[in-house]
Amino acid sequence: MKNLILKIREGDLFRFFDSEERTELTIGSRRSADIVVKSQLVEPVQIRLLLKNNVWYAEDLTPENARSVVLLDGRRFKRPMMKLDGALSIRHAGKKEKEDIVRITPVRQFTRKRTGNNFDLTAKTLTTVGSGENCDIRVNNPLVSEKHFFIVYDGEGCYVEDAHSVSGTYVNNKKVKRQKLGDYDRISIPSAAYIFYRNTLLYSTAQGGIRIDAVDVCKRVRERNSRAKISLVTNVTFRIEAGAFVAVVGGSGAGKSTLLDCINGMRPATEGKIYYDTNDYYENMNTYKGVVGYVPQRDIMHDDLTVADALRYTAMLRMRADLPAPELHERVQAAIADVHLQGKEGLRISALSGGQKKRVSIAMELLSDPKVIFLDEPTSGLSPDLDMEMMALLKDLSKKGRTIVVITHAMENLDKCDSVAFLGRGGRLCYYGAAKDAFRWFNRRSYSRIFEALTDEATSEAFAKKYRRSPYYKELYAQLTEEYGKGCCLPPEEEEAEAPWEKPPKDLPARRAHRNGEEDA
């Protein structure tokens, strides 16, 4: 069957139409027409298109004394039905001006094969993107419609058009129905983003989670009883690699939750930038709505529901409405398996332990297949064994292509994290790296001693400067400057002699320095 793609222009507006598997199409002002032209001059059904012997024909159905006429390549039909080998137009019958009410042009068909690693849009006339099996580019996400958007190449340029998707199609962070594409335009749908360049789609979304760059992030707020501003987060710069498991720790009031909310956009930073896969997150938050999960400290669930029902209702609310029932069931079962709750599906939420309830909260976020998950103290109130199980679970989730960022006060299982960010007073980043190296960095033998030291503002600032002198920060600064420009963050601190309290004690054995909870000698 020969597919027909039409470019429909009404004044300065245009849209595209794909015949798909149909063999007959109608054009007119009636709402039931396949192609509706909203004009009082157009007949309810004025043109019929028919596919015969793999060739499309146009039939003029205009009655006598009609207020408009049908033209093919600017000429009246010689006979009622003619081969569709040019542009159809409907014009006012009484005016001499040759202005079209509507112009319908068959788009030239291209059938060349795909070349290169990226998707060449000149390979065919119509490129479809969605979750359906027949799409040219498949995106396996429950928020993506079966046919989400398509791109038409007409031999000269490319045009993107949303295919009536549920969650919308965004170009440069603006929701669009249709738009002509230009070089470096960014097309975004849930869990996937593409860059258009020279009639080619370049993939820009990481498959294994999202890389996050926090660049000179500050959060300043005005004090309630004065005009002065206080800093809750101060000049924080670090990188969370895609698929990494990162913990943010610090004493009470150190700004952990504030920093987390700056990164996930719930309470944006007042200064600095957050980048997701090198894209400015605050300018593109709409395009990331479907790929960011958040698990609050307090579980929000209906206690009278069973685990399976709670997840099923959550899935129905969050996923697209036309998701087939078997696929919805499959995703619910996959989320249950991801958090290791098999066999608990029939239990009421109220009958679960604290750790199991937290797993259900995580499963609710996993339903939409997020690429990054933020968790605010997921192990709060859990026993040490359950804390270890929860941290192991989060580590396992990060290995499955998700970036995991967690706030925690439980320090016993930080070794499961890829990196740990220690915050000091005023939300200063005092250390970022492996948990096992933190004791030597701070010259303290226990986490409680580290937190006690970081309650002092001068000590926190001293360790923040030490962090900006570190080889890690120097290398990161060079990379951020190259990607986002000079002046994007504070430069590395100049080298200086370490203060005596910063030097590691000579009598501190490595095996004792890495043990948690040990008191100073």
Side-chain angles (χ1 to χ4, degrees):
M1 182 181 296
K2 187 175 180 181
N3 199 44
L4 180 65
I5 301 165
L6 300 171
K7 183 177 182 179
I8 305 161
R9 182 177 290 276
E10 298 178 66
D12 295 330
L13 302 177
F14 68 88
R15 65 185 190 272
F16 290 91
F17 181 86
D18 180 11
S19 68
E20 297 178 332
E21 298 181 356
R22 283 170 284 194
T23 59
E24 180 177 337
L25 304 171
T26 57
I27 302 171
S29 59
R30 183 185 296 169
R31 293 181 61 183
S32 59
D34 296 300
I35 299 174
V36 179
V37 182
K38 296 180 179 179
S39 172
Q40 295 179 351
L41 301 175
V42 176
E43 296 298 316
V45 177
Q46 194 155 356
I47 303 173
R48 179 163 42 233
L49 302 180
L50 299 171
L51 180 65
K52 293 184 177 182
N53 299 323
N54 215 31
V55 177
W56 281 96
Y57 293 88
E59 183 180 6
D60 184 2
L61 303 178
T62 307
E64 294 184 7
N65 302 321
R67 291 181 293 174
S68 59
V69 295
V70 176
L71 305 176
L72 179 62
D73 272 346
R75 298 179 181 180
R76 295 291 298 270
F77 277 45
K78 295 180 180 179
R79 48 189 178 274
M81 184 177 294
M82 296 186 66
K83 183 179 178 181
L84 185 60
D85 54 3
L88 287 169
S89 57
I90 301 178
R91 292 181 184 171
H92 196 294
K95 290 188 176 181
K96 295 182 179 180
E97 296 87 350
K98 296 182 179 180
E99 183 177 348
D100 297 329
I101 299 172
V102 61
R103 186 175 179 85
I104 302 170
T105 308
V107 179
R108 181 184 172 190
Q109 298 289 308
F110 296 87
T111 56
R112 294 195 301 275
K113 294 182 179 180
R114 176 181 172 179
T115 58
N117 294 327
N118 297 304
F119 206 95
D120 180 10
L121 297 172
T122 65
K124 55 189 300 189
T125 308
L126 188 76
T127 300
T128 57
V129 180
S131 59
E133 294 183 359
N134 296 325
C135 290
D136 300 296
I137 301 175
R138 290 197 66 191
V139 181
N140 186 22
N141 186 281
L143 298 177
V144 175
S145 298
E146 188 168 348
K147 185 178 179 182
H148 203 96
F149 72 87
F150 57 89
I151 297 176
V152 176
Y153 173 64
D154 65 356
E156 297 180 358
C158 290
Y159 302 81
V160 62
E161 180 152 349
D162 182 73
H164 304 288
S165 65
V166 176
S167 53
T169 300
Y170 293 81
V171 176
N172 301 327
N173 199 38
K174 293 183 179 179
K175 194 173 185 179
V176 301
K177 289 185 177 179
R178 62 191 62 86
Q179 181 173 315
K180 185 175 182 179
L181 293 172
D183 285 348
Y184 304 106
D185 278 348
R186 184 173 183 271
I187 306 170
S188 305
I189 61 176
S191 80
Y194 310 93
I195 302 297
F196 175 82
Y197 181 70
R198 293 185 177 180
N199 296 333
T200 302
L201 275 188
L202 311 177
Y203 296 86
S204 69
T205 299
Q207 296 298 314
I210 290 176
R211 193 189 82 183
I212 301 173
D213 289 332
V215 183
D216 207 28
V217 173
C218 298
K219 180 70 172 183
R220 307 186 198 281
V221 297
R222 194 178 301 277
E223 285 188 300
R224 182 174 299 178
N225 298 321
S226 71
R227 294 184 178 181
K229 286 190 174 182
I230 58 174
S231 183
L232 304 180
V233 176
T234 307
N235 301 114
V236 170
T237 300
F238 68 112
R239 169 172 289 174
I240 302 173
E241 296 292 349
F245 178 24
V246 173
V248 179
V249 301
S252 179
K256 302 182 296 297
S257 295
T258 304
L259 176 60
L260 192 77
D261 288 349
C262 287
I263 297 174
N264 63 34
M266 293 185 67
R267 291 183 289 168
T270 54
E271 299 173 34
K273 295 284 189 178
I274 301 293
Y275 297 96
Y276 281 25
D277 288 335
T278 73
N279 300 303
D280 189 320
Y281 177 56
Y282 293 162
E283 292 184 359
N284 295 274
M285 286 180 67
N286 285 333
T287 67
Y288 285 101
K289 281 192 297 188
V291 297
V292 176
Y294 178 74
V295 180
Q297 183 175 354
R298 183 178 178 181
D299 298 320
I300 304 174
M301 293 176 288
H302 292 282
D303 287 347
D304 291 335
L305 294 176
T306 64
V307 172
D309 285 343
L311 292 175
R312 182 166 58 87
Y313 290 136
T314 301
M316 293 171 66
L317 289 171
R318 294 189 180 184
M319 297 179 187
R320 66 179 195 270
D322 62 346
L323 192 71
E327 184 177 346
L328 186 145
H329 177 75
E330 182 180 340
R331 289 191 176 276
V332 168
Q333 293 303 312
I336 290 174
D338 280 342
V339 297
H340 310 310
L341 280 178
Q342 299 96 322
K344 308 293 184 183
E345 297 93 331
L347 292 180
R348 292 181 182 272
I349 300 293
S350 58
L352 300 179
S353 66
Q356 290 170 338
K357 288 182 179 179
K358 186 61 66 175
R359 288 171 184 262
V360 175
S361 292
I362 296 173
M364 288 179 172
E365 296 303 315
L366 294 178
L367 289 169
S368 58
D369 192 24
K371 297 296 182 183
V372 56
I373 303 177
F374 298 94
L375 304 100
D376 191 351
E377 297 192 35
T379 62
S380 177
L382 300 184
S383 60
D385 59 327
L386 292 179
D387 174 85
M388 183 173 66
E389 287 184 12
M390 184 61 64
M391 295 296 280
L393 169 64
L394 297 177
K395 178 66 175 178
D396 183 54
L397 291 176
S398 70
K399 292 179 179 179
K400 295 180 179 179
R402 298 181 179 93
T403 303
I404 306 293
V405 186
V406 58
I407 294 175
T408 182
H409 280 125
M411 315 301 289
E412 292 83 359
N413 299 294
L414 286 183
D415 58 323
K416 291 183 170 52
C417 299
D418 298 303
S419 298
V420 180
F422 277 81
L423 295 186
R425 188 175 180 83
R428 295 174 172 85
L429 183 57
C430 299
Y431 172 76
Y432 185 65
K436 63 183 180 63
D437 299 326
F439 297 105
R440 189 164 295 275
W441 175 273
F442 289 108
N443 189 24
R444 300 292 190 277
R445 294 177 176 174
S446 68
Y447 289 120
S448 59
R449 297 287 184 176
I450 293 174
F451 292 162
E452 181 185 26
L454 296 183
T455 57
D456 179 70
E457 189 163 351
T459 303
S460 295
E461 179 60 26
F463 277 113
K465 289 183 177 180
K466 181 180 179 181
Y467 166 69
R468 292 195 294 272
R469 292 196 304 268
S470 66
Y472 167 81
Y473 185 83
K474 292 178 181 177
E475 182 180 353
L476 178 63
Y477 176 80
Q479 295 173 359
L480 296 178
T481 299
E482 182 178 355
E483 291 182 354
Y484 309 122
K486 292 184 178 180
C488 64
C489 57
L490 292 177
E493 294 284 334
E494 295 183 3
E495 295 290 341
E496 60 183 39
E498 287 186 316
W501 52 268
E502 285 186 339
K503 296 180 180 179
K506 296 181 181 179
D507 60 343
L508 179 62
R511 64 180 180 82
R512 294 189 64 198
H514 298 162
R515 288 171 56 189
N516 176 42
E518 193 171 3
E519 295 297 326
D520 289 337

